Amino acid sequence: DVKVTQSSRYLVKRTGEKVFLECVQDMDHENMFWYRQDPGLGLRLIYFSYDVKMKEKGDIPEGYSVSREKKERFSLILESASTNQTSMYLCASSLQGLGGTNEKLFFGSGTQLSVL
Amino acid sequence: GQQLNQSPQSMFIQEGEDVSMNCTSSSIFNTWLWYKQDPGEGPVLLIALYKAGELTSNGRLTAQFGITRKDSFLNISASIPSDVGIYFCAGQRYSGNTGKLIFGQGTTLQVKP
């Protein structure tokens, strides 16, 4: 079974802190994604990556950056955390399918981040 | 950005009842998907639909890809307590040689034994 592991289940940070959320997958997937989940808004894509050292902005990249130095690891960085970044963060990975399809996402269990 | 409108937002039903939820968009999608998120876990893919009009089942779950390619439906028959969770629809459009998923807002399902 594919396993996507997020380093922390719960995280509490202060406004202005630099925050690192780590994600590791063990199935050699090319694609990795970071989503945030908020009640009533569903899942919104922050950043994604189709290859090592490659990154693309999703729908809500402001206030975030990412790093993919190794194929199995995709990090989400909050340069200066703010209270409106309090959310559930979900990492996902998928194989690169035909025509760039990547619908079969495998998700981690999520990191609930609270910024005080 | 693009939006998928998923309804209802929440449902509270009795065990054994059937459940229906749907997702609509103003845009056409090439693929429709349905995910389920159990409490405390990440979403898991339930059903993937690839052709307009396609009807696909997975156990007690049945999903359909709308003819207009702008909507999709998920039905759960004879609900049981473990059906509890959040159900997300997602649509995929291809741009160049990449595909991005757009997720709906989710339908929270509670089942009373």
Side-chain angles (χ1 to χ4, degrees):
Chain A
D1 276 354
V2 175
K3 194 164 183 185
V4 179
T5 304
Q6 295 184 230
S7 54
S8 304
R9 196 63 183 256
Y10 300 96
L11 215 50
V12 180
K13 296 291 181 181
R14 296 203 176 275
T15 302
E17 277 194 75
K18 189 168 186 175
V19 181
F20 293 87
L21 302 183
E22 306 287 347
C23 176
V24 177
Q25 50 96 2
D26 65 359
M27 282 302 289
D28 204 35
H29 282 175
E30 295 88 355
N31 307 326
M32 295 190 75
F33 308 82
W34 275 105
Y35 288 87
R36 64 177 282 176
Q37 179 179 6
D38 300 287
L41 296 178
L43 276 63
R44 293 179 292 166
L45 182 62
I46 304 171
Y47 266 96
F48 59 104
S49 169
Y50 288 137
D51 202 352
V52 175
K53 295 193 186 295
M54 176 271 176
K55 60 185 178 185
E56 285 196 35
K57 293 180 180 179
D59 298 316
I60 51 165
E62 296 78 19
Y64 303 95
S65 62
V66 290
S67 171
R68 193 161 182 204
E69 296 296 319
K70 294 184 178 181
K71 189 175 185 179
E72 67 271 19
R73 186 180 296 269
F74 193 36
S75 304
L76 180 68
I77 304 155
L78 286 66
E79 295 290 343
S80 177
S82 63
T83 54
N84 63 12
Q85 292 179 309
T86 291
S87 184
M88 170 68 78
Y89 290 87
L90 290 163
C91 175
S93 72
S94 71
L95 281 170
Q96 184 70 42
L98 292 174
T101 60
N102 55 41
E103 68 270 15
K104 294 184 180 174
L105 297 180
F106 293 86
F107 283 89
S109 298
T111 296
Q112 179 63 51
L113 173 67
S114 297
V115 182
L116 307 178
Chain B
Q2 289 179 328
Q3 291 280 325
L4 289 186
N5 295 312
Q6 187 173 345
S7 65
Q9 270 196 314
S10 62
M11 304 180 76
F12 191 90
I13 62 168
Q14 197 77 32
E15 182 177 1
E17 287 184 8
D18 295 344
V19 173
S20 290
M21 59 190 78
N22 69 79
C23 211
T24 60
S25 171
S26 57
S27 304
I28 289 173
F29 287 99
N30 303 103
T31 306
W32 281 96
L33 306 122
W34 287 91
Y35 282 81
K36 183 198 176 192
Q37 184 178 30
D38 288 325
E41 298 296 329
V44 173
L45 181 65
L46 297 173
I47 293 178
L49 302 155
Y50 300 99
K51 284 170 49 177
E54 180 180 352
L55 188 72
T56 296
S57 293
N58 178 5
R60 292 177 296 106
L61 278 60
T62 301
Q64 184 162 23
F65 191 139
I67 289 289
T68 65
R69 295 167 64 194
K70 293 182 179 181
D71 56 10
S72 181
F73 306 88
L74 176 70
N75 296 315
I76 306 172
S77 62
S79 58
I80 59 178
S82 62
D83 290 335
V84 162
I86 305 176
Y87 292 80
F88 291 101
C89 63
Q92 180 169 234
R93 296 183 66 194
Y94 304 145
S95 175
N97 61 355
T98 61
K100 261 175 52 177
L101 290 189
I102 307 295
F103 282 85
Q105 303 96 324
T107 295
T108 300
L109 178 64
Q110 297 185 65
V111 179
K112 186 176 180 183

